[in-house]
Amino acid sequence: MSDENVKTVTAEETVNEDELFHFVPYSAEQAEAIGYSDYSYWGSVLKNFLKNKVAVTLAILFIALFIFSFIALAIGKYDFSELVTDTTMGFISPNSEYWFGTDNLGRDYWCQVWYASQTSIKLAALVAAGECVLGVTIGLIWGYVRSADRFFTELYNLINNIPTIIYMTLIALLVGRSFTIMAVSMILIGWLTMARNVRNLVIMYRDREYNLASRCLGTPLGRILTKNILPYLISVIILRLSLSIPSTISLESTLSYLGLGLGNDTPSLGILLRDARNYFLNYPYLLIFPAVIVSIITVTFYLVGNAFSDAADPRNHV
């Protein structure tokens, strides 16, 4: 080491420590201000979701589609069930008078399509909400209460091993076909996937240290499930909820195609697709309009649901 470096080190060592450091007095207000965080879970979820421009655009598109379905019926020239007395009015192609044309019975297809869109969206939203409530409730109990595991496992296997189409066929033939009957039937069968996913996650979280401490302190079961475990399941629940809506519309379309869906007096997208199968080669507009709306709803909820599920995952929050 050179003489200059030795002199520099010696000079630094001889500096008075009081000139380098000093004690800062404690202030409760400043300590609280430093430790405060304005983090909001749902605020962070919204912030992350808005970063996905494609999902935001599709969400706006669906909302506009649903709102326009009410506007379309209001500005329509005819009622969805109104028949034209002249039989030659059937199968009129779209024009200035009949914007979407007419069906085989001479009914205005514009009103038919938009009323059917409302019916299908309402059915899908109701079924998704029912599956969410029933599936999450059963899944929490199934995964946390060990003595209930055998019962719910056997119930799940019993219902899941029989194709859904068989249940819906028996219900349609024995009970009837209506909006309420179909909604209740789909909820009673469709909770399985939600409950299974929730149950598997609850098993992962139920024996963690904070839950063991809560049980030792005598925390009620309901509070442990809703406060300690349920917040970790939000992203999965949102994903399943969003995927349930297009799957419900697809199932309703399939049942209507087979003649097992809603009654003929209640237009739905599935019924319109069913009725168009015999005429779409000669009159393609009968298939195009409802098929486009079904495709928009299905793709929108799939992409928006995935984006919102990722945004709801706390691991993606900064």
Side-chain angles (χ1 to χ4, degrees):
M1 183 180 296
S2 63
D3 294 339
E4 294 181 357
N5 291 336
V6 173
K7 292 179 181 179
T8 302
V9 173
T10 305
E12 292 179 353
E13 290 178 350
T14 58
V15 175
N16 191 348
E17 293 184 357
D18 294 337
E19 298 177 3
L20 298 178
F21 306 99
H22 64 277
F23 290 98
V24 177
Y26 175 76
S27 173
E29 292 78 8
Q30 293 182 1
E32 184 176 354
I34 294 174
Y36 173 76
S37 174
D38 59 351
Y39 171 79
S40 171
Y41 172 75
W42 290 110
S44 183
V45 170
L46 181 61
K47 181 179 179 181
N48 287 344
F49 177 75
L50 293 178
K51 293 179 180 179
N52 192 327
K53 303 303 181 183
V54 175
V56 172
T57 303
L58 291 176
I60 295 174
L61 175 63
F62 171 77
I63 294 173
L65 177 70
F66 183 65
I67 295 175
F68 182 75
S69 66
F70 292 91
I71 299 175
L73 292 177
I75 64 177
K77 299 179 180 180
Y78 303 94
D79 185 76
F80 74 91
S81 61
E82 182 178 348
L83 292 175
V84 180
T85 55
D86 188 357
T87 56
T88 60
M89 299 300 290
F91 297 122
I92 296 179
S93 299
N95 54 45
S96 59
E97 178 67 18
Y98 300 100
W99 298 328
F100 280 2
T102 62
D103 62 4
N104 58 315
L105 299 178
R107 293 174 295 187
D108 180 39
Y109 209 52
W110 169 272
C111 294
Q112 287 274 308
V113 168
W114 292 114
Y115 188 88
S117 300
Q118 285 186 21
T119 302
S120 296
I121 293 174
K122 290 176 182 177
L123 176 66
L126 180 61
V127 171
E131 289 179 359
C132 179
V133 173
L134 186 61
V136 171
T137 302
I138 293 177
L140 289 172
I141 299 173
W142 184 6
Y144 195 85
V145 181
R146 300 175 191 271
S147 59
D149 184 73
R150 178 66 180 272
F151 170 77
F152 284 114
T153 300
E154 295 300 332
L155 179 63
Y156 173 86
N157 292 331
L158 177 64
I159 299 176
N160 190 57
N161 287 330
I162 300 177
T164 303
I165 194 68
I166 296 179
Y167 287 116
M168 300 305 297
T169 301
L170 292 175
I171 292 172
L173 297 177
L174 299 178
V175 181
R177 295 185 298 160
S178 69
F179 183 92
T180 303
I181 293 174
M182 175 167 283
V184 174
S185 303
M186 288 183 173
I187 291 172
L188 293 178
I189 298 173
W191 60 269
L192 297 174
T193 303
M194 177 74 79
R196 183 190 61 194
N197 292 339
V198 171
R199 178 253 185 188
N200 293 338
L201 291 174
V202 170
I203 291 177
M204 295 173 54
Y205 293 116
R206 69 183 180 188
D207 292 328
R208 294 196 173 182
E209 291 79 1
Y210 52 87
N211 286 321
L212 294 176
S214 295
R215 290 203 295 268
C216 293
L217 293 173
T219 305
L221 174 60
R223 185 172 180 80
I224 293 177
L225 292 176
T226 56
K227 299 295 184 180
N228 292 9
I229 296 179
L230 185 59
Y232 289 93
L233 313 179
I234 294 297
S235 61
V236 175
I237 293 173
I238 291 176
L239 179 60
R240 287 306 317 164
L241 186 64
S242 61
L243 295 180
S244 175
I245 292 178
S247 65
T248 299
I249 294 178
S250 299
L251 178 58
E252 185 272 325
S253 301
T254 302
L255 294 173
S256 297
Y257 188 84
L258 298 175
L260 302 172
L262 300 174
N264 293 326
D265 57 338
T266 307
S268 68
L269 294 174
I271 291 177
L272 295 184
L273 292 173
R274 179 199 67 187
D275 294 341
R277 63 185 176 181
N278 297 322
Y279 312 109
F280 75 92
L281 291 178
N282 296 322
Y283 309 100
Y285 66 89
L286 294 176
L287 179 67
I288 291 175
F289 293 124
V292 168
I293 295 178
V294 170
S295 301
I296 290 175
I297 295 173
T298 303
V299 174
T300 295
F301 272 96
Y302 175 77
L303 296 178
V304 172
N306 277 282
F308 203 81
S309 176
D310 292 339
D313 191 343
R315 293 173 296 183
N316 296 329
H317 297 185
V318 178

